[in-house]
């Protein structure tokens, strides 16, 4: 049995999915977290649950909303769970009506009843169920309250089909529905009434579905005739007329359900929002929180843990492996491969795991609390001035963790122009893979200003993205800017279990990549450093790696790092940004000598180090990001453009910083 979980954004849909299935999917307190369907099994093993993106209507405006409509058209779903926010019931019911018309058995999960009561909203569950004509189960998805009862009802065999005639749309539309029913009878297993109403609302996905069954021109002429009839009699569009009929039905439901409201105190959310979304204070508060986050990550909790891990890999583990290899009579080749290649390469990345997890913990804290949705609102005025809106900033924020899900989150953006623009700019956001590089260099060259330097890189990425958004939207991607509408969820006190799961979900990819991709890359890089044109076990300066890096070195002289080592590490950075650290640990590895941070002082000045970090921030996206850009755009041209423009911008900005810094007397 397949059961679809559908609801508006921010109604707790993914939290309910996690509770009902016992699995874990990423939960963020904003729209756009689920951008494609996710599948799990109910804890009682009686059915499969499909979590679909949050939508306001089955008539999609964006790509992620289209996932839901396409699923309902093509997949044989048996039942649906419609999750509603009890504090936003009137708005949520617009989607409920469309799901009832879909005709499958439906149950309503009435979520956030605790939030509703705090706002003075009291819902009579039994009367509401009678008014809508479907079973209702009150739940608090975040804590699991009532979820077991909901699971028992929806997985039982006793649920009946929903009443597709729940709303009467008037003689003109009802007659048109009957006519279409005669034409489609026997050609589809779906509710023909639902298909007809969606067709009258200009649902593009439903249009295509019906055009596959009937002659396109005759259907178009038929719909136009209905539109003309409604316009002539009611002086309104067909879509607006259908909306108005649903609105009247919702008002009737609200009256029958005896939903009461009492005056209460001003919600705490509104008091906090008066400060954090203030047009003057909003951005400074955001950057202050970012600074505190980086300070705790680099200067507080993260650095001691990373130093301990570094000592373990470089000391304890290396000595232990060295002893085992000597006892086993391993050759010099094996010694070097394991110690200089694998331990130095993979270990050099893993030492930054504590800082990565600490940063992800604080990001998860801000997301789950509801603050990140406010950041998008605060940024709307700025984004609008460059041809985007605040919704485009949400994928960019997600890109701070990883650019890949950030690009995928652009599916929530309605207009193709803005969606493409967001996809092209999201890779400029500083992802977690760049963080170990920052940690390495700020520890070596800016020990007293770690958080400030890292914050400057994050802000720089945002500023460059905004400037390019203005340029691109005025030249290559001209078009009308869409209106920005976002629902601000109530602030919530994050649960520790959810925070840990979210942190682990973000961080495990970093660890997994270190154990697989970085492992293989470290072996390959070590082989290039071990072999050269003159044979094996050559000096590093005579290796194949030095030859490859040496070709690029002159190009980087104007921006401060004209060494083959820098050139070689940047090449591997295209595969994964963490691979830069692996490469450097192998290239600069000198047993029983200084640490890598100490050795870097022989090759970089502080100014060159900052220039290098800026170049890493902006130059070509990693391989996984490039693949995602191609998947989302379906265009080789735009994928190549995303690589080319980023490389040019990175070089120009690093050149300005390095040469400008030298003119100003910095070293």
């Amino acid at each position: 049995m397949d059961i679809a979980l559908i609801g508006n954004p921010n109604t707790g849909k993914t939290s309910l999915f996690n509770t009902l299935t016992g699995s874990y999917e990423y939960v963020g307190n904003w729209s756009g977290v689920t951008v494609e369907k996710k599948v799990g099994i109910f804890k009682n093993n009686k059915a499969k649950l499909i979590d679909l993106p949050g939508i306001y209507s089955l008539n999609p405006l964006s790509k992620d909303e289209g996932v839901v409509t396409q699923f309902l058209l093509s997949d044989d779903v048996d039942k649906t769970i419609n999750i509603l926010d009890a504090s936003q019931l009137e708005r949520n019911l617009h989607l409920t009506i469309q799901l009832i018309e879909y005709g499958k058995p439906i149950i309503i999960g009435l979520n956030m009843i605790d939030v509703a009561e705090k706002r003075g909203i009291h819902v009579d569950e039994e009367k509401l169920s009678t008014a809508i004509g479907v079973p209702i189960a009150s739940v608090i998805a975040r804590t699991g309250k009532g979820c077991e009862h909901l699971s028992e009802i929806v997985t039982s065999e006793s649920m009946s089909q929903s009443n597709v005639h729940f709303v009467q749309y008037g003689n003109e539309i009802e007659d048109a529905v009957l006519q279409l029913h005669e034409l489609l009878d026997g050609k589809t297993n779906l509710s023909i009434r639902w298909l007809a109403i969606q067709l009258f609302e200009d649902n593009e996905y439903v249009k295509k579905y019906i055009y596959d069954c009937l002659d396109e021109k005759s259907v178009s002429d038929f719909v136009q005739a209905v539109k003309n009839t409604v316009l002539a009699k009611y002086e309104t569009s067909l879509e607006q007329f259908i909306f108005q009929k649903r609105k009247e039905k919702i008002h009737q439901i609200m009256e029958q359900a005896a939903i009461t409201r009492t005056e209460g105190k001003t919600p705490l959310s509104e008091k906090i929002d008066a400060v954090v979304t203030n047009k003057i204070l909003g951005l400074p508060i955001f950057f202050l929180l970012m600074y505190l986050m980086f300070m705790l990550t680099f200067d507080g909790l993260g650095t001691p843990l990373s130093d301990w891990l570094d000592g373990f890999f470089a000391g304890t583990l290396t000595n232990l492996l060295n002893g085992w290899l000597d006892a086993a009579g391993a050759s010099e080749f094996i010694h070097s491969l394991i110690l200089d290649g694998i331990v130095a390469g993979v270990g050099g990345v893993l030492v930054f795991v504590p800082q990565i997890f600490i940063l992800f913990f604080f990001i998860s804290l801000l997301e789950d609390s509801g603050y990140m949705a406010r950041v998008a609102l605060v940024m709307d005025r700025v984004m609008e001035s460059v041809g985007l809106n605040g919704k485009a900033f949400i994928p960019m924020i997600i890109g701070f963790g990883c650019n890949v899900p950030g690009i995928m989150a652009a599916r929530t953006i309605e207009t193709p122009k803005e969606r493409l623009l967001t996809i092209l700019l999201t890779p400029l956001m500083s992802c977690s893979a760049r963080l170990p590089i920052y940690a390495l260099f700020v520890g070596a060259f800016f020990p007293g200003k770690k958080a400030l330097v890292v914050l400057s890189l994050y802000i720089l990425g945002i500023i460059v993205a905004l400037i390019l958004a203005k340029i691109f939207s005025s030249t290559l991607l001209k078009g009308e800017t869409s209106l920005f509408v976002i629902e601000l969820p109530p602030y919530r006190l994050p649960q520790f279990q959810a925070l840990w799961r979210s942190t682990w979900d973000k961080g495990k990819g970093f660890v997994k990549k270190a154990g697989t991709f970085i492992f293989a890359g470290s072996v390959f890089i070590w082989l290039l450093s071990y072999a050269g044109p003159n044979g094996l076990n050559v000096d590093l300066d005579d290796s194949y790696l030095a030859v490859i890096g040496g070709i690029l070195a002159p190009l980087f002289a104007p921006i401060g790092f004209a060494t083959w080592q820098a050139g070689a590490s940047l090449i591997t950075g295209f595969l994964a940004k963490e691979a830069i650290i692996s490469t450097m640990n192998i290239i600069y590895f000198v047993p029983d000598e200084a640490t890598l941070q100490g050795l870097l002082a022989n090759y970089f000045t502080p100014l060159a180090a900052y220039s290098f970090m800026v170049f890493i921030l902006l130059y070509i996206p990693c391989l996984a990001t490039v693949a995602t850009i191609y998947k989302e755009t379906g265009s080789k041209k735009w994928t190549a453009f995303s690589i080319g423009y980023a490389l040019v911008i990175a070089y120009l900005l690093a050149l300005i910083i390095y040469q400008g810094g030298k003119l100003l007397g910095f070293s």
Side-chain angles (χ1 to χ4, degrees):
M1 188 183 341
D2 290 349
I3 300 173
L5 177 58
I6 305 175
N8 287 183
N10 292 320
T11 52
K13 187 169 51 59
T14 304
S15 293
L16 181 61
F17 174 84
N18 292 338
T19 303
L20 293 176
T21 63
S23 60
Y24 175 73
E25 292 296 342
Y26 172 52
V27 179
N29 201 352
W30 53 16
S31 63
V33 170
T34 307
V35 292
E36 53 190 16
K37 67 179 183 182
K38 298 180 174 70
V39 181
I41 305 296
F42 276 86
K43 290 179 181 178
N44 59 18
N45 292 316
K46 290 183 178 180
K48 183 166 63 176
L49 184 63
I50 299 121
D51 179 24
L52 295 164
I55 56 170
Y56 293 103
S57 168
L58 292 179
N59 189 357
L61 294 174
S62 60
K63 273 184 83 175
D64 68 311
E65 291 179 348
V67 170
V68 180
T69 304
Q70 190 60 53
F71 173 83
L72 294 178
L73 287 169
S74 58
D75 289 66
D76 188 20
V77 63
D78 298 296
K79 300 176 182 179
T80 58
I81 299 175
N82 177 211
I83 183 168
L84 303 183
D85 178 353
S87 65
Q88 304 286 347
L89 199 56
E90 188 169 347
R91 187 191 62 223
N92 287 187
L93 284 172
H94 282 277
L95 176 61
T96 303
I97 288 174
Q98 295 174 65
L99 291 174
I100 290 172
E101 290 171 345
Y102 181 64
K104 298 289 184 177
I106 181 174
I107 181 174
I108 289 175
L110 190 62
N111 192 28
M112 302 186 191
I113 52 175
D114 53 336
V115 175
E117 289 174 358
K118 287 178 182 177
R119 293 183 176 181
I121 301 170
H122 305 279
V123 181
D124 189 315
E125 181 185 321
E126 291 185 9
K127 289 183 178 179
L128 181 62
S129 177
T130 302
I132 301 177
V134 299
I136 292 178
S138 296
V139 298
I140 302 177
R142 296 178 76 245
T143 64
K145 182 179 179 181
C147 292
E148 188 174 341
H149 177 56
L150 170 63
S151 178
E152 289 174 0
I153 296 174
V154 77
T155 57
S156 68
E157 302 295 332
S158 59
M159 286 181 64
S160 59
Q161 301 290 110
S162 61
N163 177 19
V164 294
H165 296 276
F166 183 60
V167 178
Q168 291 296 309
Y169 292 100
N171 293 334
E172 294 78 16
I173 292 180
E174 295 297 339
D175 289 344
V177 170
L178 290 175
Q179 292 178 54
L180 195 63
H181 195 286
E182 292 178 4
L183 295 173
L184 282 172
D185 193 26
K187 296 181 179 180
T188 178
N189 295 323
L190 298 173
S191 163
I192 296 178
R193 180 181 177 80
W194 176 74
L195 289 172
I197 300 299
Q198 291 294 317
L199 176 67
F200 297 154
E201 289 188 283
D202 274 336
N203 186 320
E204 292 297 330
Y205 288 78
V206 171
K207 274 185 186 179
K208 186 177 183 302
Y209 180 88
I210 293 178
Y211 291 162
D212 289 339
C213 301
L214 303 172
D215 177 65
E216 180 176 338
K217 186 177 186 309
S218 62
V219 173
S220 297
D221 292 344
F222 171 69
V223 172
Q224 189 59 49
V226 178
K227 288 183 176 181
N228 292 339
T229 301
V230 171
L231 182 62
K233 184 170 183 179
Y234 300 102
E235 297 183 347
T236 186
S237 68
L238 180 57
E239 297 93 326
Q240 188 61 35
F241 184 77
I242 291 172
F243 175 80
Q244 196 60 40
K245 286 293 183 181
R246 287 176 180 156
K247 192 173 181 180
E248 290 172 6
K249 185 65 176 180
I250 290 170
H251 287 163
Q252 183 182 335
I253 292 169
M254 300 292 282
E255 290 176 1
Q256 291 175 356
I259 295 169
T260 59
R261 297 173 182 268
T262 57
E263 286 295 327
K265 297 179 180 178
T266 303
L268 181 60
S269 287
E270 292 183 15
K271 294 179 181 178
I272 298 173
D273 283 344
V275 179
V276 300
T277 64
N278 183 278
K279 63 181 181 180
I280 297 174
L281 299 176
L283 275 178
I285 289 173
F286 172 59
F287 291 131
L288 176 62
L289 288 174
M290 292 281 285
Y291 174 75
L292 292 173
M293 187 168 66
F294 292 133
M295 189 169 65
L296 288 169
T297 300
F298 292 101
D299 294 327
L301 304 171
T303 300
L305 292 173
S306 290
D307 289 344
W308 178 84
L309 265 182
D310 190 23
F312 171 76
F313 283 113
T316 306
L317 183 60
T318 298
N319 293 334
L320 186 63
L321 290 174
N322 195 39
W324 285 351
L325 292 170
D326 286 340
S331 65
E332 184 181 345
F333 176 85
I334 298 299
H335 261 89
S336 184
L337 170 62
I338 293 175
L339 298 180
D340 302 351
I342 297 172
V343 175
V346 178
V349 173
L350 289 177
V351 297
F352 297 105
V353 165
Q355 292 172 326
I356 294 291
F357 272 81
I358 290 169
L359 180 67
F360 280 151
F361 176 82
F362 287 117
I363 290 176
S364 299
L365 183 66
L366 293 177
E367 288 173 350
D368 206 32
S369 67
Y371 174 71
M372 285 300 197
R374 273 77 181 173
V375 176
L377 179 64
V378 168
M379 287 296 296
D380 179 51
R381 186 179 288 103
V382 178
M383 300 295 281
E384 188 178 355
S385 67
V386 299
L388 290 169
N389 66 44
K391 186 177 281 190
F393 198 63
I394 292 176
M396 293 181 182
I397 295 173
I398 294 174
F400 286 156
C402 178
N403 292 158
V404 170
I407 290 169
M408 292 174 66
R411 295 176 186 176
T412 61
I413 298 172
E414 291 86 356
T415 63
K417 185 268 292 187
E418 291 184 9
R419 185 162 58 246
L420 176 58
L421 192 52
T422 304
I423 288 171
L424 294 175
L425 297 176
T426 296
L428 299 176
M429 299 300 104
S430 189
C431 67
S432 62
R434 297 171 172 99
L435 202 63
I437 305 163
Y438 302 159
L440 178 67
F441 277 84
V442 296
F445 297 99
F446 310 100
K449 301 174 182 177
K450 294 178 186 176
L452 195 60
V453 171
V454 174
L455 178 62
S456 73
L457 293 167
Y458 276 73
I459 293 175
L460 181 63
I462 295 172
I463 292 173
V464 171
L466 294 176
I467 293 172
L468 290 176
K470 183 64 175 178
I471 295 171
F472 292 162
S473 64
S474 303
T475 54
L476 299 174
L477 295 168
K478 289 183 179 179
E480 185 179 353
T481 303
S482 63
L483 294 174
F484 175 53
V485 179
I486 189 172
E487 178 184 353
L488 292 181
Y491 288 100
R492 297 168 188 152
L493 187 64
Q495 297 174 312
F496 179 78
Q497 185 180 17
L499 277 179
W500 165 244
R501 281 179 166 180
S502 179
T503 303
W504 171 248
D505 191 53
K506 294 184 179 79
K508 69 180 179 182
F510 183 85
V511 177
K512 184 178 179 181
K513 200 186 295 184
T516 53
F517 187 82
I518 301 300
F519 178 89
S522 296
V523 173
F524 179 69
I525 293 164
W526 174 84
L527 285 172
L528 289 177
S529 69
Y530 188 79
N534 298 322
L536 300 176
N537 198 19
V538 298
D539 289 338
L540 273 173
D541 291 336
D542 298 322
S543 66
Y544 286 121
L545 198 60
V547 172
I548 297 169
I551 295 172
L552 297 175
L555 298 175
F556 298 126
I559 56 178
F561 37 94
T563 63
W564 69 261
Q565 291 93 337
S569 62
L570 288 170
I571 294 173
T572 60
F574 171 63
L575 303 176
K577 293 297 182 284
E578 302 98 323
I580 293 174
I581 294 293
S582 298
T583 306
M584 287 187 162
N585 271 280
I586 292 169
I587 291 173
Y588 297 119
F589 182 73
V590 182
D592 303 322
E593 205 172 301
T595 62
L596 177 57
Q597 287 185 337
L599 289 170
L600 287 176
N602 299 326
Y603 299 89
F604 292 86
T605 63
L607 180 59
Y610 191 77
S611 174
F612 186 77
M613 287 189 289
V614 169
F615 193 81
I616 295 296
L617 166 69
L618 301 173
Y619 93 123
I620 54 178
C622 71
L623 186 60
T625 302
V626 170
T628 306
I629 292 172
Y630 178 69
K631 179 184 175 184
E632 294 298 308
T633 62
S635 168
K636 293 179 181 178
K637 180 188 76 172
W638 287 117
T639 304
F641 178 76
S642 70
I643 297 172
Y645 95 78
L647 191 57
V648 171
I649 292 297
Y651 192 90
L652 289 176
L653 198 55
L655 181 67
I656 292 169
I657 288 171
Y658 184 70
Q659 296 297 336
K662 286 177 66 178
L663 288 174
L664 293 173
F666 294 102
S667 59

